[in-house]
Structures are given as structure tokens and as C-alpha cells.
Amino acid sequence: IMGVLFCQVTFFSSHVFCQSDSGLEVLAVQRVSKAQAWQRAGRAGREDAGICYRLYTEQEFDNLIPMTVPEIQRCNLAGVMLQLMALGIPDVMNFDFMSKPSPETVRSAVEHLELLGALERKDGQVLLTALGKKMASFPLEPRYAKTILVSPDFCCSEEILSIVSLLSVDTVLYNPPARREEVLAARKKFTSSEGDHMTLLNIYRAFKKVGGNKEWCRENFVNSRNMGLVKEVQAQLREICLKLNLKLVSCGVDTGNIRHCLAHGMFISAAELQPDGSYLALDSHQAVAIHPSSVLFQAKPAYVVFNELLHTSRCYMRDLCLVDADWLLDAAPEYFGRKLHITRS
């Protein structure tokens, strides 16, 4: 009534952090910085006099860090290093970033790319491989690019393109709390015991079968707008594949080929079931758990690969796929045999 604008300033925000020892990215809830708090408070007086209500004490505000840590210092640099190599930048290990990341993060990114087969060392130099050049053609995380590039070997490139596209946009599902039972009943039709990737693929196939019908989306709690974005991303990735002369084939109902391919591209993000029922991330040896939103939450598969880690009260794996230990060993035999000591199942 008086034309006064109010602003509530939150205390926490979510950031992606890279573990320097493993290269895995963790989505963690962190306190905002003073700079973030002042920036948000500025919205209260943008058009008229405003009042900012901070949801914490002045003492807590004084204890906040002055500036937000630059993203390049807290994210996985594998994609950045790959693009620098593709641009022909010499000595990427010592590249002069404006906000310089730690040497451990740079080294971890290079090791990550070496494991994926994108880089190799010769005469003390880090060089891009033929596979790495192709991986740099995709506007994706290196592990997704690698998964697409090996998919013709498993005769499932069409399915992998769909899955990577689904993972490249915001969630295509929505879960209104007040209609939880309806949501569970609708999802049951698409749920796969092989994991979240297969479940998403089932939903996407059904979406295409009905021609993207919006009424079908409402009935099945599917975000039609984001599904449209998935189709656009898939078309872009398909165009890149054609330029690289990749064979686009479908495996049909043989989902084992899809999971085998995912294991070859995402083997660094793998976890193993422990005797006490918990899980251990194989690369970092960090204790992790299956997120309650996963279709595998009530299951106890021996080995899984996951897309991301979410750190709240525990470290949760999100978007999981059931894999075999043999597939992980075949994907990187020297790496797993030396560091992880997995026994064949």
C-alpha cells in the first residue's frame, strides 16, 4: 500500500564442489557469502524504498565469507581442460586462469581425461588423442561425450542420445506433495528395476509414442516443456554424431547393452555395495547412499554408476544405473585392478 518493497534474504544456497582427490562433483548446501547477501538485499530497493529482512543474526552475517568462491575453483575442470587442448593451447597444466584453480584440481582433471582416453602423455607432454578430439566436439561433460562415442559398439546409440539428452536438462518429472499416491501410481508403469536411466528412457519413449500430448503429460506428472527441450538437445547431439560419421543404431528392448555402454562411459562414478548394506564410491572411497527419489532406493544392487552426488545430512547418489563388476573392469582394467581391487562377480 505504501509502495515499500520487502526482501527476505536466505542463509543457504546450493553449490557444486569438486573433490580434488577424485574429480567427483558434489552438490552441497552452503552458507551464502556477504556479497550474495548484499546483492539479494539490493532487490528490495530496486524501484522504491525497501526493507531487507535477514533470516539470521547480525553475528552470523559477520561470520560469512566476504566473496563467493569462483565456480572455476570449485567445479570439475575436465571439460575446460579438454576444450583448451582442442583449441591448441600449449601447456594446459600451467594455463593462466583469471581465478586460478588449485594445482590438485587441474591435475585431477587431466587424470580424469586420461582415464577416459581423451589425453595421453608423451615425452613429458600432455597430448589430445583422436578420441579426445571427437569428445571435444560435444557441448557435454567428457563422460557423456565418451558414452555417446562408444555407444555404436554396443548398438545403442539412439538410446544413449535420449538418455544423455534427458540428463542435460532440468528434471522432466514433477512430484506435487499433495498428490504423492497418484504420482507413485503413474510412475509405476514406467519403473525399471535396472535403474533411473532405464526408467527415464521408458518415460521418454512413451512421451514420443503419444506425440508429446500435453494431457498425457499432466496425467503422468511429466514436464512437457522440459521434454520439448530434451528433443531439441537430442537433435543437436544427433547432428554432431552425423558430422563425426557415428553409426546411429537402436538396441530395441535389449537394455543390457545400454547399461553396458553407460558403465564404459561413466565408470569413474561407480559405487559398490558393502557387507553392512552401505555403499562406497569406488574412486574416492567415500561412503554414499542411494537417494530416496531413486527407483533403486529399496533395492541393494552390488554395483551402480551414478550421475551426481548430493550432500545434505548424508552423501546421496542420484540417477543410478545397475551395472556389473565385469563391465567396470573391462572399461578400465588397469585402473580398477590397481586401485580398487574389485573381484569379478
Side-chain angles (χ1 to χ4, degrees):
I1 297 175
M2 299 174 63
V4 179
L5 303 178
F6 293 85
C7 176
Q8 290 184 338
V9 183
T10 55
F11 193 35
F12 296 100
S13 61
S14 296
H15 292 295
V16 174
F17 289 87
C18 179
Q19 299 173 335
S20 58
D21 58 340
S22 67
L24 293 179
E25 287 188 333
V26 180
L27 182 63
V29 178
Q30 299 285 323
R31 293 185 178 186
V32 299
S33 64
K34 288 181 181 178
Q36 285 177 302
W38 281 120
Q39 190 270 337
R40 295 177 186 183
R43 296 174 187 171
R46 183 170 294 170
E47 296 181 0
D48 206 336
I51 299 175
C52 165
Y53 288 93
R54 300 199 185 278
L55 305 183
Y56 41 85
T57 65
E58 186 174 356
Q59 183 180 359
E60 290 287 355
F61 177 81
D62 291 337
N63 291 332
L64 297 177
I65 60 174
M67 301 292 293
T68 307
V69 178
E71 184 175 0
I72 199 167
Q73 294 180 0
R74 53 182 168 83
C75 70
N76 189 330
L77 293 179
V80 176
M81 302 302 284
L82 181 62
Q83 293 301 323
L84 289 176
M85 292 287 294
L87 290 170
I89 302 297
D91 194 17
V92 291
M93 297 289 287
N94 297 303
F95 184 77
D96 189 18
F97 290 100
M98 185 175 294
S99 299
K100 201 168 184 66
S102 68
E104 292 78 12
T105 305
V106 174
R107 185 170 57 253
S108 175
V110 171
E111 290 173 356
H112 182 112
L113 291 171
E114 280 188 275
L115 283 172
L116 291 175
L119 301 181
E120 61 182 354
R121 296 179 187 267
K122 282 187 179 179
D123 302 325
Q125 290 185 318
V126 180
L127 303 175
L128 200 63
T129 63
L131 176 63
K133 291 177 182 177
K134 291 181 179 180
M135 288 169 61
S137 302
F138 291 91
L140 298 168
E141 289 183 38
R143 56 178 177 160
Y144 292 151
K146 169 74 178 287
T147 306
I148 291 175
L149 288 169
V150 300
S151 62
D153 298 336
F154 299 95
C155 301
C156 61
S157 44
E158 292 285 2
E159 287 76 16
I160 291 297
L161 283 177
S162 297
I163 290 172
V164 171
S165 301
L166 285 160
L167 299 175
S168 300
V169 303
D170 288 335
T171 178
V172 296
L173 308 175
Y174 64 94
N175 305 287
R179 304 175 65 183
R180 186 171 182 274
E181 295 302 322
E182 294 177 64
V183 172
L184 292 175
R187 297 278 157 74
K188 196 172 182 180
K189 297 177 292 186
F190 310 109
T191 299
S192 169
S193 60
E194 295 177 312
D196 301 306
H197 297 79
M198 299 303 109
T199 299
L200 283 173
L201 182 60
N202 290 341
I203 293 172
Y204 186 59
R205 282 173 166 172
F207 171 80
K208 290 205 301 183
K209 191 173 181 179
V210 299
N213 183 277
K214 291 189 175 182
E215 183 59 33
W216 179 91
C217 290
R218 281 193 292 270
E219 291 174 359
N220 291 280
F221 303 95
V222 172
N223 188 317
S224 59
R225 179 179 176 277
N226 285 353
M227 275 296 196
L229 293 176
V230 170
K231 292 177 68 176
E232 293 177 13
V233 172
Q234 188 175 19
Q236 181 184 0
L237 296 179
R238 181 188 294 273
E239 187 177 339
I240 296 172
C241 288
L242 293 175
K243 288 180 180 178
L244 296 175
N245 296 317
L246 284 184
K247 189 178 180 181
L248 298 178
V249 290
S250 172
C251 64
V253 297
D254 187 2
T255 54
N257 278 11
I258 303 173
R259 295 188 295 112
H260 200 165
C261 181
L262 289 170
H264 267 67
M266 301 172 61
F267 60 86
I268 293 177
S269 303
E272 180 185 39
L273 181 66
Q274 301 301 297
D276 62 359
S278 64
Y279 279 88
L280 197 70
L282 289 174
D283 190 70
S284 63
H285 296 283
Q286 177 178 357
V288 292
I290 297 177
H291 195 271
S293 64
S294 172
V295 298
L296 297 178
F297 180 61
Q298 299 295 341
K300 291 289 184 181
Y303 294 93
V304 294
V305 292
F306 55 87
N307 283 352
E308 65 178 359
L309 294 175
L310 173 65
H311 189 76
T312 53
S313 57
R314 301 174 69 184
C315 200
Y316 287 106
M317 301 178 286
R318 292 208 300 194
D319 296 325
L320 288 80
C321 178
L322 176 68
V323 297
D324 287 353
D326 290 346
W327 299 345
L328 298 175
L329 284 165
D330 291 341
E334 183 181 347
Y335 172 71
F336 280 108
R338 180 187 74 248
K339 185 175 181 179
L340 306 175
H341 309 294
I342 305 179
T343 54
R344 288 182 177 269
S345 60

